[in-house]
């Protein structure tokens, strides 16, 4: 049986996929790891190589069965982002720099206030964009066709 959807969802997530986090509760308390996946519908995250549980998988067509170790989801309240300067867990805040860019920074009692960089893995798409045109895509000739001339008034709908 899978996890139920969370009753009260987090609206503004401060923890992102690819962040370095420390587990603050549970059997892996004190260990650090990278966030592999964020499950927003359940307020949970999967940390790479942590919170391992045994999974019994039945043999079927095309795969062998057995007992495997997989990462189980952790509730987001049980992990905290690691401060890049001190290496201790901290809270995450947002602020605007002088040039107007919005950044995350470490905040809290033992935090350094340093900027937490956005993970590089977020720049990659999970599903790559298709490079070839599909059957439902509009041809580029029709997209670039000029259908309205402002000076001549050609192409204006009758209102």
């Amino acid at each position: 049986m899978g996890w139920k959807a969370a009753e009260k969802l987090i609206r503004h997530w401060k923890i992102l996929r690819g962040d370095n986090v420390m587990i603050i509760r549970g059997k892996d308390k004190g260990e650090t790891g990278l966030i592999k996946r964020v499950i927003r519908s359940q307020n949970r995250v999967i940390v790479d190589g942590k919170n391992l549980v045994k999974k019994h998988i039945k043999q079927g067509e095309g795969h062998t069965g057995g007992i495997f170790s997989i990462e189980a989801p952790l509730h987001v309240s049980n992990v905290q982002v690691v401060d890049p300067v001190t290496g201790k867990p901290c809270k995450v805040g947002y602020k605007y720099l002088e040039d107007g860019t919005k950044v995350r920074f470490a905040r809290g009692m033992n935090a350094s206030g340093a900027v937490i960089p956005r993970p590089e893995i977020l720049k990659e798409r999970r599903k790559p964009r298709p490079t070839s045109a599909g059957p439902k895509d509009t041809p580029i000739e029709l997209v670039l066709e000029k259908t309205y001339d402002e000076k001549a008034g050609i192409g204006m709908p009758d209102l």
Side-chain angles (χ1 to χ4, degrees):
M1 184 180 269
W3 291 94
K4 292 182 181 177
E7 289 183 20
K8 190 169 184 182
L9 293 177
I10 297 171
R11 297 179 88 186
H12 304 289
W13 281 74
K14 296 181 179 181
I15 295 179
L16 304 172
R17 180 172 54 103
D19 272 341
N20 189 21
V21 295
M22 183 178 282
I23 299 172
I24 58 173
R25 285 187 200 92
K27 65 181 181 180
D28 293 327
K29 180 179 178 178
E31 296 183 20
T32 61
L34 292 176
I35 290 189
K36 191 176 183 180
R37 186 171 165 220
V38 176
I39 308 169
R40 294 183 183 220
S41 64
Q42 300 169 3
N43 289 345
R44 294 183 181 272
V45 293
I46 295 178
V47 182
D48 196 21
K50 306 294 179 222
N51 198 29
L52 295 174
V53 295
K54 299 285 187 188
K55 178 101 174 170
H56 295 256
I57 297 178
K58 197 175 185 180
Q59 182 176 357
E61 269 187 53
H63 63 83
T64 58
I67 302 170
F68 299 100
S69 290
I70 63 161
E71 297 120 353
L74 285 162
H75 196 270
V76 74
S77 65
N78 296 336
V79 297
Q80 275 190 329
V81 176
V82 173
D83 190 337
V85 175
T86 63
K88 294 181 179 178
C90 66
K91 295 179 180 180
V92 178
Y94 283 96
K95 67 180 176 181
Y96 291 93
L97 298 178
E98 290 80 27
D99 60 349
T101 57
K102 186 178 180 182
V103 293
R104 299 186 304 160
F105 72 99
R107 68 178 189 86
M109 292 288 288
N110 300 324
S112 63
V115 172
I116 300 171
R118 194 167 166 81
E120 291 293 321
I121 196 167
L122 291 178
K123 294 180 181 172
E124 303 169 9
R125 291 180 61 91
R126 284 192 166 226
K127 295 179 184 173
R129 290 191 173 116
T131 54
S132 60
K136 294 186 176 181
D137 290 334
T138 307
I140 193 71
E141 300 85 32
L142 291 175
V143 172
L144 297 176
E145 180 184 342
K146 189 172 182 181
T147 57
Y148 173 66
D149 188 9
E150 184 180 352
K151 292 182 180 175
I154 300 172
M156 276 292 287
D158 296 327
L159 298 175

